[in-house]
Every structure is written in structure tokens, then in C-alpha cells.
């Protein structure tokens, strides 16, 4: 499920993180259990959704779907103690790497000034090698890594300086959950996992459209498998890029 090197605990000597993903429900397939652990330690974690998830439910048109999925994400974030949820307005399903996306992400990083940035897998495949990752995820990951560097550079997106967004070079690392190249892990307690399950279940309408998916067993199975890899009872894995 991961790379071949011995896994290391994800550093937790920080106080503020920004969790950035493409869609409502993305964080909830593993990373939200770690968010529950961190907020339980008193850390501040804010969630930033690049789209509103309007193309995610076949039976609902975008105008009806977006408000519903935004509400589900807010409930999901509350279940793990996130400090807040913000939404950008990029189009769901057709996200593209480019300057508009990098600019918006850099602005958010300069505004929130996180020490850690969290996201989900942007590789072509997930752990286990099954399926092909969503185009939005594959576009967001590289843009997010570049935006961390952009946010630190005074001479990139200089118009943001006039808006009071000073450069921010305080991001220590970016951690991507559910990656097939994970080399770090976060140990989870039973309470962390239960909060993660609750955060996933908050996406009730979205999950109802996933035939045969059992949200009650998915995260416990994944946490047990990651724990076996990490040498602890329960865990979730991350691929980490140092900044």
C-alpha cells in the first residue's frame, strides 16, 4: 500500500494546518481521522475546498447539488473539530493546473499562514493500484505544491501584496493522504477513527449514490491495514513533501 522504506510518524510539533482538497468528501476517506486527532490536541485545522462538488451526484443538477454538498462538508468538518470550511469557485470535474489555481491557493496560504498543508493523493493510482485517480485530484496536487512556493515568494502574484497578503514561508511540509507512496503515518485512537467515520457519514446524499459502498466498514479496515504497515493498532498514511 506504500513505499518500501520504513514508515515514520508524521511530525506533530506544529499548531496550525490548512487542509486543501478538490471536493467535498475527499478528506473523509482517511485524512479526516487524522484531523480529529490533531484538533483533539488543540491544533487549528481549516478546510479549503477548491470546488463545491456540483458535478458529484448524477441525479442532481449542479445548482441543486452544490449547496447540498457544501452543507454536508460543513457537517463533516464539525465532526472532526475543524476550525472552519471555505470554498473556492473552480469548476468541479474540469479543474486545470495553471496560474489561476496557483494564484488562488497562494492567496489562501498567505491568508491562513499554516505551518502544515494537508491534501489527498494526486498520483495516478491510489494505494493498491486499483482504478485511475480523478482528474481534479491529479491537477490539484502539483498546483498546491507550487502554490506553497509561490506564497513564499514576494515577487510572485505581487497584486496580493497590495491586498495585504504578505508572503508566507512558514509551511514546513505538505502531506498527502491515501497515497501509494506514503512514507509517514499518523497513529489513530478509536475515538479519532470514530470521528473520521462520522465525518464520512455526514456525506449522506453523496454516499447514497455509491452502489455497494459500505462507509461503516471502509475506514476501520483501512485504518487497521495502515496500522499493520506502521506497526501500531490503527493509523492513516501520508506522502510527505518537505518545504
Amino acid at each position: 500500500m506504500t513505499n518500501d522504506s520504513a514508515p515514520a510518524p508524521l511530525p506533530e510539533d506544529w499548531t496550525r494546518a490548512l487542509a486543501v482538497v478538490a471536493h467535498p468528501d475527499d478528506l473523509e476517506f482517511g485524512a479526516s481521522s487524522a484531523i480529529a486527532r490533531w484538533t483533539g490536541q488543540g491544533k487549528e485545522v481549516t478546510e479549503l475546498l477548491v470546488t463545491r462538488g456540483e458535478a458529484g451526484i448524477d441525479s442532481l443538477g449542479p445548482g441543486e447539488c452544490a449547496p447540498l454538498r457544501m452543507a454536508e462538508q460543513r457537517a463533516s468538518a464539525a465532526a472532526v473539530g475543524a476550525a472552519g470550511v471555505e470554498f473556492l469557485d473552480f469548476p468541479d470535474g474540469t479543474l486545470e493546473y495553471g496560474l489561476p489555481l496557483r494564484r488562488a491557493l497562494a492567496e489562501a496560504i498567505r491568508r491562513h499562514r499554516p505551518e502544515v498543508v494537508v491534501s489527498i493523493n494526486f498520483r495516478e493510482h491510489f494505494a493498491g493500484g486499483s482504478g485511475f485517480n480523478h482528474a481534479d485530484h491529479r491537477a490539484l496536487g502539483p498546483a498546491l505544491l507550487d502554490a506553497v512556493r509561490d506564497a513564499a515568494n514576494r515577487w510572485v502574484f505581487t497584486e496580493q501584496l497590495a491586498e495585504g497578503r504578505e508572503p508566507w514561508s512558514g509551511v514546513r511540509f505538505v502531506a498527502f493522504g491515501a497515497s501509494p507512496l506514503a512514507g509517514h503515518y499518523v497513529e489513530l485512537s478509536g475515538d479519532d477513527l470514530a470521528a473520521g467515520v462520522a465525518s464520512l457519514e455526514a456525506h449522506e446524499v453523496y454516499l447514497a449514490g455509491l452502489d455497494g459502498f459500505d462507509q461503516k466498514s471502509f475506514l476501520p479496515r483501512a485504518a487497521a491495514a495502515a496500522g499493520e504497515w506502521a506497526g501500531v493498532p490503527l493509523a492513516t498514511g501520508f506522502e510527505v513533501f518537505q518545504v
Side-chain angles (χ1 to χ4, degrees), residues 69-116:
R69 298 205 70 197
M70 293 167 69
E72 289 190 337
Q73 186 61 42
R74 292 187 180 102
S76 178
V80 294
V85 182
E86 296 181 9
F87 294 88
L88 301 179
D89 199 21
F90 286 84
D92 183 11
T94 58
L95 196 62
E96 293 181 306
Y97 177 94
L99 290 178
L101 181 56
R102 282 171 52 190
R103 180 180 289 108
L105 294 173
E107 188 280 332
I109 292 165
R110 286 172 168 174
R111 177 161 44 87
H112 287 283
R113 305 176 83 77
E115 299 160 77
V116 172

Side-chain angles (χ1 to χ4, degrees), residues 18-98:
L18 183 64
V20 184
V21 290
H23 316 108
D25 84 80
D26 282 349
L27 287 169
E28 286 65 57
F29 285 89
S32 62
S33 296
I35 291 174
R37 171 183 168 92
W38 295 328
T39 60
Q41 295 172 339
K43 302 182 194 307
E44 178 184 302
V45 182
T46 300
E47 297 182 1
L48 178 68
L49 286 296
V50 174
T51 82
R52 300 169 189 265
E54 69 274 9
I57 302 177
D58 184 67
S59 61
L60 294 177
E64 185 179 1
C65 185
L68 185 150
R69 298 205 70 197
M70 293 167 69
E72 289 190 337
Q73 186 61 42
R74 292 187 180 102
S76 178
V80 294
V85 182
E86 296 181 9
F87 294 88
L88 301 179
D89 199 21
F90 286 84
D92 183 11
T94 58
L95 196 62
E96 293 181 306
Y97 177 94

Side-chain angles (χ1 to χ4, degrees), residues 205-237:
V205 177
Y206 174 75
L207 292 174
L210 302 182
D211 292 338
F213 178 72
D214 181 1
Q215 65 265 31
K216 292 186 181 296
S217 66
F218 176 83
L219 287 179
R221 289 199 312 269
E228 182 176 0
W229 162 71
V232 298
L234 299 170
T236 189

Side-chain angles (χ1 to χ4, degrees), residues 4 6 24 64 78 86 93 116 119 137 165 180 200 202-204 219 226 236:
D4 294 332
E64 185 179 1
E86 296 181 9
V116 172
S119 190
H137 302 165
R165 306 298 185 216
L200 179 58
H203 295 277
E204 181 179 0
L219 287 179
T236 189

